[in-house]
Amino acid sequence: MSEPKPISPPNDTVTAKMSRWASTLQFEDISPDAIYQAKRFLLDSLGCALGGYQQHDVKIALEVLDEVAGPGLATVIGTGQRVDPVSAALANALMIRCMDYNDIYWKQDPSHPSDIFPAAIACCERAGTDGKELIVGLVLGHEFEMRFCEAAFPGIRERGWHHATLTAFVSPMVAGRALHLPWEQIQHAIGISASRHCTLGAVTAGKLTMMKNTVDPMATQSGVLAALLAEKGYTGPEHVVDGKEGLTHVFKPDWKLNLLTDGLGQSWRITQCGMKAFPTEALTHTPISAVLDLVKSNDLRPDQVEKIQIRSLARAADILSDPSKYDPHTRETADHSLPYVIAAALVDRQVTPVQFTMEKIMDPTIRAQLRKVEVVADPEIEKVFPALQRVIVNINTTDGRSFSKQLDYPKGDPRNPLTDQEVEEKFSALADGVLSNGAQKRVKDAIWNLERVGSVSELMALMEADVRKARYVKTKSRTRLRAKGQKSRKPVLA
């Protein structure tokens, strides 16, 4: 049995209450289902990272980090390079995030809590700890990221801010706990990171750029840097949530701060988080699922379809179908374009990473369908959100037929989860071209038995590319390492 949790004084700041709890959380405190879900989300996230490792924006970031990162104990996925934890956290979080394919939670605010996993991974590697400690970090990140999403009324995204703003409060807790900092230093880490890292919603409005998937990894990086500073005695504002000119003072109007700390340890938010069956923005998933069902069950061809009406939330009509979304020219805009993903579903009868190559985005057959898609804000649907992610899809054909489907939540939602086999299949599809079949199996086995892994670095050593066509990045990184005078280390999982 673990030690009883310390009771917070009644006048404690919110960051003190959270930090006290985070600093004492032990593996034995966590429910079996939460541990199981942590493994599922880790497998899913590392699969996303292996897919992300092959993307152009990650290649750019790795080139920059190859120039500026220092030697250290944290592993970069794909390259196998061992660098400082701040750089590794950024690189790995960007890999997880860049395809918009990792987990999703939406209560008041959307978020992708697994973006914070690399903070736990990098700091566990630096601390030399095991799989149990990593599980603690994974669960902790989901717990507070999701609670922050629930605490604002309305969500900060509706006020023009991005959820990376919230990640900057949570990632230092995860990093600090993984470094075994006392609660006072974790509290300072929160103040350091959160006071200097607020993110404008502009990154997901209109024409999208590479920053859309980079701001949350940067918030994770911020948390790791803050924890390292706090470890050395650096201080940050303790009132950064609930004090003068803190979060609730600046981001008015309403906050239910009790949601950040009420019932900690009685249930686990990670068991309520969803996974993505499609590499697209979260609000596109239910309409994609409904359209695919109608198209396949009625064998509809693109030339038979006259119009597809999507009835959804006002924010879907605003953010996902503004004028730029009817003429996407980048992957980042296409995967946030409701017209594009629906057109791709109609033409290809699937929405996978293949649909977001430039060749596909500019495919004249797909582009010919974009103007057939109409997105309508439905006030009745607004009333049931976020409990339901309801959409109503109406398809009219050129010969006068009509098809309709209402769907309340997509595949991957906790009420309709991906099976373990589907999670493994998604991992393998994304790992193809980076890890051999044997290497993939070793990663899966290690994650399903994570509590028995003796060192997080042993797990991360398995994430080094071993497929020939992926080696060009690794070779370049190792050349840089030798130039810095450090040998590349490659632990082996026992």
Side-chain angles (χ1 to χ4, degrees):
M1 295 291 292
S2 58
E3 293 289 329
K5 298 292 180 294
I7 299 173
S8 296
N11 60 345
D12 255 358
T13 62
V14 171
T15 58
K17 293 176 183 177
M18 294 188 297
S19 299
R20 287 177 189 273
W21 189 79
S23 69
T24 57
L25 180 63
Q26 301 296 318
F27 175 81
E28 292 73 19
D29 300 328
I30 302 171
S31 74
D33 187 36
I35 293 169
Y36 165 63
Q37 294 299 334
K39 296 175 184 178
R40 280 168 48 87
F41 281 111
L42 181 61
L43 182 59
D44 182 70
S45 301
L46 292 182
C48 291
L50 292 168
Y53 173 66
Q54 304 173 75
Q55 304 304 311
H56 181 58
D57 38 358
V58 168
K59 293 173 185 175
I60 293 172
L62 288 179
E63 288 183 7
V64 173
L65 290 174
D66 200 49
E67 179 179 345
V68 303
L73 298 174
T75 306
V76 177
I77 292 168
T79 70
Q81 187 177 2
R82 301 292 292 276
V83 300
D84 66 275
V86 178
S87 298
L90 174 60
N92 294 339
L94 180 60
M95 291 185 210
I96 288 173
R97 182 81 204 105
C98 74
M99 296 180 70
D100 212 347
Y101 209 0
N102 58 323
D103 64 349
I104 177 64
Y105 185 67
W106 202 318
K107 289 285 182 72
Q108 307 304 325
D109 274 306
S111 73
H112 311 278
S114 66
D115 290 355
I116 304 174
F117 281 5
I121 293 169
C123 291
C124 280
E125 285 200 271
R126 183 178 180 273
T129 49
D130 59 16
K132 288 184 178 180
E133 284 296 305
L134 178 56
I135 289 171
V136 170
L138 306 182
V139 171
L140 187 63
H142 273 71
E143 190 69 28
F144 283 116
E145 183 84 354
M146 293 162 70
R147 284 173 176 265
F148 264 102
C149 286
E150 298 165 19
F153 293 81
I156 65 167
R157 185 65 189 89
E158 294 180 59
R159 313 176 199 195
W161 297 90
H162 188 272
H163 62 79
T165 302
L166 304 178
T167 300
F169 287 80
V170 180
S171 59
M173 276 190 280
V174 173
R177 172 62 182 80
L179 293 173
H180 296 287
L181 302 186
W183 76 264
E184 295 92 342
Q185 289 182 334
I186 294 176
Q187 182 182 34
H188 284 302
I190 297 170
I192 293 166
S193 175
S195 63
R196 48 79 58 187
H197 204 292
C198 296
T199 304
L200 294 172
V203 296
T204 55
K207 181 180 178 181
L208 303 184
T209 68
M210 292 178 182
M211 279 304 291
K212 181 259 290 185
N213 289 324
T214 311
V215 288
D216 219 36
M218 285 182 167
T220 295
Q221 176 195 36
S222 174
V224 175
L225 176 60
L228 293 174
L229 287 167
E231 183 183 41
K232 301 297 184 182
Y234 222 88
T235 60
E238 300 169 7
H239 59 282
V240 72
V241 172
D242 52 351
K244 180 176 173 58
E245 298 183 3
L247 178 69
T248 58
H249 185 179
V250 174
F251 284 74
K252 299 171 181 177
D254 294 320
W255 290 81
K256 297 182 180 179
L257 292 183
N258 63 296
L259 295 178
L260 295 177
T261 55
D262 281 358
L264 283 169
Q266 295 175 13
S267 63
W268 301 94
R269 291 301 196 276
I270 197 168
T271 65
Q272 303 168 30
C273 194
M275 289 184 182
K276 286 192 172 186
F278 308 108
T280 62
E281 197 278 339
L283 287 180
T284 68
H285 286 211
T286 313
I288 290 171
S289 299
V291 168
L292 285 173
D293 183 68
L294 288 174
V295 168
K296 292 178 180 180
S297 61
N298 297 286
D299 195 23
L300 297 176
R301 300 189 310 272
D303 60 350
Q304 294 177 304
V305 173
E306 181 177 64
K307 180 180 178 180
I308 302 177
Q309 183 191 74
I310 310 292
R311 303 189 71 84
S312 186
L313 299 167
R315 71 195 79 185
D318 176 38
I319 298 172
L320 303 180
S321 57
D322 63 43
S324 71
K325 306 306 191 301
Y326 280 90
D327 187 26
H329 286 267
T330 65
R331 188 195 78 222
E332 293 82 6
T333 301
D335 67 28
H336 271 54
S337 165
L338 196 45
Y340 177 79
V341 299
I342 296 304
L346 174 60
V347 172
D348 290 347
R349 298 193 177 192
Q350 63 177 4
V351 180
T352 72
V354 172
Q355 276 64 53
F356 297 97
T357 63
M358 285 310 302
E359 181 181 5
K360 277 291 183 183
I361 292 169
M362 303 309 297
D363 184 330
T365 305
I366 292 178
R367 295 188 80 84
Q369 316 306 315
L370 290 168
R371 292 294 165 183
K372 297 179 182 180
V373 180
E374 177 189 38
V375 185
V376 177
D378 188 325
E380 295 304 311
I381 289 176
E382 208 79 43
K383 292 177 183 178
V384 300
F385 184 81
L388 299 177
Q389 298 173 39
R390 177 171 295 166
V391 298
I392 300 171
V393 173
N394 300 305
I395 298 181
N396 297 329
T397 65
T398 55
D399 60 3
R401 291 178 295 161
S402 296
F403 302 94
S404 183
K405 185 176 182 66
Q406 175 180 305
L407 195 61
D408 286 342
Y409 41 81
K411 181 68 174 176
D413 184 273
R415 292 159 291 190
N416 184 22
L418 298 178
T419 65
D420 289 352
Q421 181 178 343
E422 288 170 330
V423 175
E424 289 198 7
E425 289 171 351
K426 177 181 172 182
F427 174 90
S428 295
L430 290 164
D432 184 48
V434 183
L435 296 184
S436 64
N437 291 339
Q440 291 178 32
K441 184 179 185 304
R442 288 189 288 274
V443 172
K444 293 174 188 176
D445 289 345
I447 292 173
W448 289 127
N449 295 282
L450 187 55
E451 66 270 42
R452 293 194 285 274
V453 171
S455 164
V456 174
S457 290
E458 294 174 356
L459 169 65
M460 293 303 290
L462 301 178
M463 297 298 295
E464 182 176 356
D466 70 341
V467 173
R468 182 175 298 277
K469 69 180 182 180
R471 286 185 179 274
Y472 67 95
V473 177
K474 180 177 69 176
T475 300
K476 185 172 183 179
S477 296
R478 283 190 166 173
T479 300
R480 175 68 62 180
L481 270 176
R482 285 196 295 272
K484 289 180 177 179
Q486 181 188 2
K487 295 181 180 179
S488 177
R489 287 166 286 172
K490 186 177 179 182
V492 178
L493 183 67

